[in-house]
Amino acid sequence: MTRRTRAPASLLYGDLTSAEVESALRGATLVWPVGSLEQHGPHLPLSVDLDIPEALARQVGAESGGFVMPVQAIAARSLPQSGGGSHWPGTLHLRGTTLIDSLSDVLASLAPLRPGKLVVINGHYENEALLFEAIDGCRPAVAFPETEIMAFSWWSMVRDGWIADHLPGFPGWHAEHAGLTETSLMLYLRPGTVRPERPEHKTPPPAGIYRHPLDATRMSTRGVLSSTTGAGAALGELLFWHIIDNILESMG
Ligand SMILES: [Zn+2]
């Protein structure tokens, strides 16, 4: 594999002045990472779901000549079958209605800047439906008549063939929480934040079933919903560039 280097710097929305921002953004690409602060087991930091979309956004911004927004760091509630839920300390959230309102307000204030493309990269499983609702609810045809919008969770850019080739025993994206892919991406992107433990959870929760009461100790192993076996920086690097290639191809 030819090694590719991550962008040393990208253009940041926040570095623009008010006098510059209208002409800079008009017709340009704007990339907005949306994440979360959420427990990710004993081995990963709370910032996983914002670190991954932020790194992807910065690379996409650099490769497309676009501007990158600051990451939306606090977002949807963590749920037991996809994030461990609120049984674990450190997870912060906005309630769904507040999150939709917050995202909608940001979108409404961005709209007059008329970017050519708005690319929203999500890194937190529970955000997705609320993010799509906020975007669709702002009536893009009216609010963003000149803007192409593409919003997605990063795992939607991972092809089925790649999963078959690299992720044996794949438990589904809901259960990849703090598992093989996030651990590997963090070992590539921010190795100094990854602790040496590699917890395993042999029985990942099924997708799409909510239960109460719930035995939190059976749903995960210390907040890990699936397997971390085989995690490594090399796998994270492969995955990172696979995602980048697919995002750039999808942007056209
Ligand atoms: Zn995560």
Side-chain angles (χ1 to χ4, degrees), residues 64-82:
S64 64
F67 290 86
V68 181
M69 291 262 285
V71 65
Q72 171 79 22
I74 299 176
R77 171 185 286 273
S78 176
L79 294 171
Q81 73 277 16
S82 49

PDB file of all heavy atoms in Angstrom, residues 64-82:
ATOM      1  N   SER A  64     -10.701  18.824  -1.010  1.00  0.00           N
ATOM      2  CA  SER A  64     -11.707  19.469  -1.867  1.00  0.00           C
ATOM      3  C   SER A  64     -11.553  20.990  -1.877  1.00  0.00           C
ATOM      4  O   SER A  64     -12.322  21.688  -2.526  1.00  0.00           O
ATOM      5  CB  SER A  64     -13.110  19.108  -1.377  1.00  0.00           C
ATOM      6  OG  SER A  64     -13.314  19.634  -0.077  1.00  0.00           O
ATOM      7  N   GLY A  65     -10.567  21.500  -1.151  1.00  0.00           N
ATOM      8  CA  GLY A  65     -10.389  22.959  -1.069  1.00  0.00           C
ATOM      9  C   GLY A  65     -11.499  23.635  -0.282  1.00  0.00           C
ATOM     10  O   GLY A  65     -11.728  24.839  -0.404  1.00  0.00           O
ATOM     11  N   GLY A  66     -12.193  22.842   0.550  1.00  0.00           N
ATOM     12  CA  GLY A  66     -13.329  23.382   1.290  1.00  0.00           C
ATOM     13  C   GLY A  66     -12.958  23.859   2.687  1.00  0.00           C
ATOM     14  O   GLY A  66     -11.843  23.637   3.174  1.00  0.00           O
ATOM     15  N   PHE A  67     -13.908  24.502   3.317  1.00  0.00           N
ATOM     16  CA  PHE A  67     -13.743  24.992   4.686  1.00  0.00           C
ATOM     17  C   PHE A  67     -14.342  23.980   5.660  1.00  0.00           C
ATOM     18  O   PHE A  67     -15.309  23.292   5.348  1.00  0.00           O
ATOM     19  CB  PHE A  67     -14.445  26.340   4.853  1.00  0.00           C
ATOM     20  CG  PHE A  67     -13.748  27.442   4.117  1.00  0.00           C
ATOM     21  CD1 PHE A  67     -14.038  27.685   2.770  1.00  0.00           C
ATOM     22  CD2 PHE A  67     -12.780  28.216   4.739  1.00  0.00           C
ATOM     23  CE1 PHE A  67     -13.374  28.693   2.075  1.00  0.00           C
ATOM     24  CE2 PHE A  67     -12.119  29.220   4.051  1.00  0.00           C
ATOM     25  CZ  PHE A  67     -12.417  29.464   2.712  1.00  0.00           C
ATOM     26  N   VAL A  68     -13.766  23.926   6.862  1.00  0.00           N
ATOM     27  CA  VAL A  68     -14.222  22.960   7.864  1.00  0.00           C
ATOM     28  C   VAL A  68     -14.778  23.702   9.071  1.00  0.00           C
ATOM     29  O   VAL A  68     -14.115  24.587   9.638  1.00  0.00           O
ATOM     30  CB  VAL A  68     -13.059  22.028   8.291  1.00  0.00           C
ATOM     31  CG1 VAL A  68     -13.527  21.013   9.323  1.00  0.00           C
ATOM     32  CG2 VAL A  68     -12.478  21.314   7.072  1.00  0.00           C
ATOM     33  N   MET A  69     -15.981  23.318   9.444  1.00  0.00           N
ATOM     34  CA  MET A  69     -16.633  23.905  10.627  1.00  0.00           C
ATOM     35  C   MET A  69     -16.076  23.252  11.899  1.00  0.00           C
ATOM     36  O   MET A  69     -15.624  22.114  11.859  1.00  0.00           O
ATOM     37  CB  MET A  69     -18.129  23.585  10.586  1.00  0.00           C
ATOM     38  CG  MET A  69     -18.885  24.298   9.496  1.00  0.00           C
ATOM     39  SD  MET A  69     -19.691  25.737  10.157  1.00  0.00           S
ATOM     40  CE  MET A  69     -21.056  24.972  11.041  1.00  0.00           C
ATOM     41  N   PRO A  70     -16.165  23.942  13.033  1.00  0.00           N
ATOM     42  CA  PRO A  70     -15.849  23.267  14.303  1.00  0.00           C
ATOM     43  C   PRO A  70     -16.816  22.105  14.510  1.00  0.00           C
ATOM     44  O   PRO A  70     -17.972  22.169  14.085  1.00  0.00           O
ATOM     45  CB  PRO A  70     -16.094  24.347  15.364  1.00  0.00           C
ATOM     46  CG  PRO A  70     -16.243  25.625  14.634  1.00  0.00           C
ATOM     47  CD  PRO A  70     -16.637  25.321  13.232  1.00  0.00           C
ATOM     48  N   VAL A  71     -16.339  21.067  15.156  1.00  0.00           N
ATOM     49  CA  VAL A  71     -17.188  19.891  15.375  1.00  0.00           C
ATOM     50  C   VAL A  71     -18.314  20.214  16.360  1.00  0.00           C
ATOM     51  O   VAL A  71     -18.107  20.953  17.338  1.00  0.00           O
ATOM     52  CB  VAL A  71     -16.335  18.696  15.853  1.00  0.00           C
ATOM     53  CG1 VAL A  71     -15.724  18.953  17.208  1.00  0.00           C
ATOM     54  CG2 VAL A  71     -17.115  17.390  15.854  1.00  0.00           C
ATOM     55  N   GLN A  72     -19.502  19.686  16.049  1.00  0.00           N
ATOM     56  CA  GLN A  72     -20.627  19.743  17.004  1.00  0.00           C
ATOM     57  C   GLN A  72     -20.388  18.610  17.998  1.00  0.00           C
ATOM     58  O   GLN A  72     -20.547  17.437  17.665  1.00  0.00           O
ATOM     59  CB  GLN A  72     -21.944  19.542  16.245  1.00  0.00           C
ATOM     60  CG  GLN A  72     -23.169  19.351  17.112  1.00  0.00           C
ATOM     61  CD  GLN A  72     -23.701  20.656  17.658  1.00  0.00           C
ATOM     62  OE1 GLN A  72     -23.445  21.722  17.106  1.00  0.00           O
ATOM     63  NE2 GLN A  72     -24.440  20.589  18.751  1.00  0.00           N
ATOM     64  N   ALA A  73     -19.973  18.961  19.219  1.00  0.00           N
ATOM     65  CA  ALA A  73     -19.416  17.939  20.101  1.00  0.00           C
ATOM     66  C   ALA A  73     -20.437  17.274  21.021  1.00  0.00           C
ATOM     67  O   ALA A  73     -20.209  16.166  21.485  1.00  0.00           O
ATOM     68  CB  ALA A  73     -18.290  18.530  20.953  1.00  0.00           C
ATOM     69  N   ILE A  74     -21.528  17.944  21.303  1.00  0.00           N
ATOM     70  CA  ILE A  74     -22.505  17.345  22.211  1.00  0.00           C
ATOM     71  C   ILE A  74     -23.803  17.169  21.443  1.00  0.00           C
ATOM     72  O   ILE A  74     -24.339  18.136  20.889  1.00  0.00           O
ATOM     73  CB  ILE A  74     -22.710  18.215  23.468  1.00  0.00           C
ATOM     74  CG1 ILE A  74     -21.368  18.326  24.198  1.00  0.00           C
ATOM     75  CG2 ILE A  74     -23.768  17.603  24.380  1.00  0.00           C
ATOM     76  CD1 ILE A  74     -21.381  19.216  25.404  1.00  0.00           C
ATOM     77  N   ALA A  75     -24.270  15.931  21.378  1.00  0.00           N
ATOM     78  CA  ALA A  75     -25.423  15.679  20.508  1.00  0.00           C
ATOM     79  C   ALA A  75     -26.353  14.643  21.132  1.00  0.00           C
ATOM     80  O   ALA A  75     -26.616  14.706  22.327  1.00  0.00           O
ATOM     81  CB  ALA A  75     -24.929  15.298  19.121  1.00  0.00           C
ATOM     82  N   ALA A  76     -26.810  13.657  20.362  1.00  0.00           N
ATOM     83  CA  ALA A  76     -27.934  12.820  20.786  1.00  0.00           C
ATOM     84  C   ALA A  76     -27.605  11.891  21.956  1.00  0.00           C
ATOM     85  O   ALA A  76     -26.466  11.485  22.166  1.00  0.00           O
ATOM     86  CB  ALA A  76     -28.419  11.984  19.606  1.00  0.00           C
ATOM     87  N   ARG A  77     -28.644  11.537  22.662  1.00  0.00           N
ATOM     88  CA  ARG A  77     -28.569  10.620  23.803  1.00  0.00           C
ATOM     89  C   ARG A  77     -27.993   9.269  23.374  1.00  0.00           C
ATOM     90  O   ARG A  77     -28.370   8.723  22.341  1.00  0.00           O
ATOM     91  CB  ARG A  77     -29.993  10.418  24.340  1.00  0.00           C
ATOM     92  CG  ARG A  77     -30.143   9.340  25.390  1.00  0.00           C
ATOM     93  CD  ARG A  77     -31.617   9.160  25.735  1.00  0.00           C
ATOM     94  NE  ARG A  77     -32.106  10.252  26.554  1.00  0.00           N
ATOM     95  CZ  ARG A  77     -32.028  10.284  27.897  1.00  0.00           C
ATOM     96  NH1 ARG A  77     -31.516   9.276  28.562  1.00  0.00           N
ATOM     97  NH2 ARG A  77     -32.475  11.306  28.579  1.00  0.00           N
ATOM     98  N   SER A  78     -27.093   8.749  24.172  1.00  0.00           N
ATOM     99  CA  SER A  78     -26.559   7.406  23.956  1.00  0.00           C
ATOM    100  C   SER A  78     -27.619   6.388  24.358  1.00  0.00           C
ATOM    101  O   SER A  78     -28.283   6.549  25.379  1.00  0.00           O
ATOM    102  CB  SER A  78     -25.310   7.239  24.821  1.00  0.00           C
ATOM    103  OG  SER A  78     -24.795   5.942  24.730  1.00  0.00           O
ATOM    104  N   LEU A  79     -27.781   5.351  23.554  1.00  0.00           N
ATOM    105  CA  LEU A  79     -28.775   4.315  23.864  1.00  0.00           C
ATOM    106  C   LEU A  79     -28.088   2.980  24.169  1.00  0.00           C
ATOM    107  O   LEU A  79     -27.010   2.701  23.646  1.00  0.00           O
ATOM    108  CB  LEU A  79     -29.748   4.157  22.684  1.00  0.00           C
ATOM    109  CG  LEU A  79     -30.629   5.393  22.448  1.00  0.00           C
ATOM    110  CD1 LEU A  79     -31.405   5.259  21.148  1.00  0.00           C
ATOM    111  CD2 LEU A  79     -31.578   5.624  23.625  1.00  0.00           C
ATOM    112  N   PRO A  80     -28.734   2.156  25.027  1.00  0.00           N
ATOM    113  CA  PRO A  80     -28.045   0.956  25.524  1.00  0.00           C
ATOM    114  C   PRO A  80     -27.568   0.016  24.410  1.00  0.00           C
ATOM    115  O   PRO A  80     -26.487  -0.547  24.499  1.00  0.00           O
ATOM    116  CB  PRO A  80     -29.108   0.265  26.391  1.00  0.00           C
ATOM    117  CG  PRO A  80     -30.086   1.334  26.740  1.00  0.00           C
ATOM    118  CD  PRO A  80     -30.052   2.347  25.635  1.00  0.00           C
ATOM    119  N   GLN A  81     -28.376  -0.151  23.356  1.00  0.00           N
ATOM    120  CA  GLN A  81     -28.010  -1.161  22.358  1.00  0.00           C
ATOM    121  C   GLN A  81     -27.091  -0.630  21.272  1.00  0.00           C
ATOM    122  O   GLN A  81     -26.696  -1.369  20.381  1.00  0.00           O
ATOM    123  CB  GLN A  81     -29.277  -1.778  21.732  1.00  0.00           C
ATOM    124  CG  GLN A  81     -30.011  -0.879  20.769  1.00  0.00           C
ATOM    125  CD  GLN A  81     -30.953   0.120  21.445  1.00  0.00           C
ATOM    126  OE1 GLN A  81     -30.872   0.357  22.651  1.00  0.00           O
ATOM    127  NE2 GLN A  81     -31.813   0.718  20.662  1.00  0.00           N
ATOM    128  N   SER A  82     -26.723   0.658  21.360  1.00  0.00           N
ATOM    129  CA  SER A  82     -25.833   1.198  20.332  1.00  0.00           C
ATOM    130  C   SER A  82     -24.722   2.069  20.913  1.00  0.00           C
ATOM    131  O   SER A  82     -23.866   2.532  20.153  1.00  0.00           O
ATOM    132  CB  SER A  82     -26.642   1.992  19.290  1.00  0.00           C
ATOM    133  OG  SER A  82     -27.513   2.908  19.910  1.00  0.00           O
TER     134      SER A  82
END
